[in-house]
Amino acid sequence: GSAAKCPAGPQAGRKAMTADQDYKLLGEAPCELYYTHGDMVKELPICAKSLGGNGKVPIEAAMYMNEGKVVAVTFQAHPEYATSDLGFKGTFQPILKSMEEREDITAEERIKATQDAEATLGRVKKQSVNAVIMAGTQLGWFP
């Protein structure tokens, strides 16, 4: 596989991901999670399958297989941002500030992403926990 700079520019804040038809494992559609990234998966290795994406970032999540068994599930998003105060206030918000300082996003974009995240935290937390449970289930961690 390979990664590349996101042609749509850095992605910060809540973004929706629509699951691929064959892999509706993420429950709610679209699944909304929090993002802070400037790169994206350009192409998956042959052992991986896309779980979904959106118009700006086509591969937002992927499942990696070895001999027919799921060995990894990855997300372009950061489900951990919404699952605790440490994730939200101690990681997500400082990373948004850092993205602003590096001029990846504007102050207006940071403020908008922060306000939106505060307003949607409950819903995104539920979807983030569901995404992690889905990944753990695929990996055989849960029945």
Side-chain angles (χ1 to χ4, degrees):
S2 63
K5 290 285 181 200
C6 182
Q11 302 295 296
R14 179 174 53 99
K15 305 292 178 191
M17 180 185 83
T18 301
D20 284 354
Q21 278 303 106
D22 294 338
Y23 297 99
K24 291 199 180 274
L25 304 174
L26 297 175
E28 297 179 41
C31 178
E32 295 179 324
L33 301 173
Y34 297 136
Y35 293 79
T36 54
H37 61 80
D39 296 332
M40 64 178 225
V41 175
K42 183 177 179 183
E43 181 179 352
L44 289 167
I46 195 163
C47 66
K49 298 189 183 310
S50 173
L51 296 177
N54 63 41
K56 293 182 179 179
V57 182
I59 303 170
E60 291 281 2
M63 183 167 53
Y64 297 78
M65 313 287 283
N66 184 21
E67 297 180 6
K69 181 180 177 188
V70 178
V71 295
V73 177
T74 62
F75 295 92
Q76 189 77 23
H78 294 273
E80 71 276 12
Y81 287 166
T83 58
S84 70
D85 276 346
L86 176 60
F88 189 71
K89 294 179 183 171
T91 307
F92 178 64
Q93 290 178 343
I95 289 175
L96 288 176
K97 184 68 173 162
S98 178
M99 290 178 79
E100 176 191 350
E101 290 167 357
R102 289 191 318 262
E103 299 181 351
D104 291 334
I105 61 174
T106 65
E108 182 179 326
E109 289 169 320
R110 178 188 57 81
I111 291 166
K112 182 179 176 186
T114 300
Q115 289 174 340
D116 176 74
E118 289 169 345
T120 60
L121 184 58
R123 182 175 76 238
V124 174
K125 180 176 184 175
K126 179 183 173 192
Q127 291 183 21
S128 294
V129 169
N130 287 344
V132 172
I133 289 171
M134 177 283 303
T137 301
Q138 292 301 308
L139 291 163
W141 298 346
F142 311 116

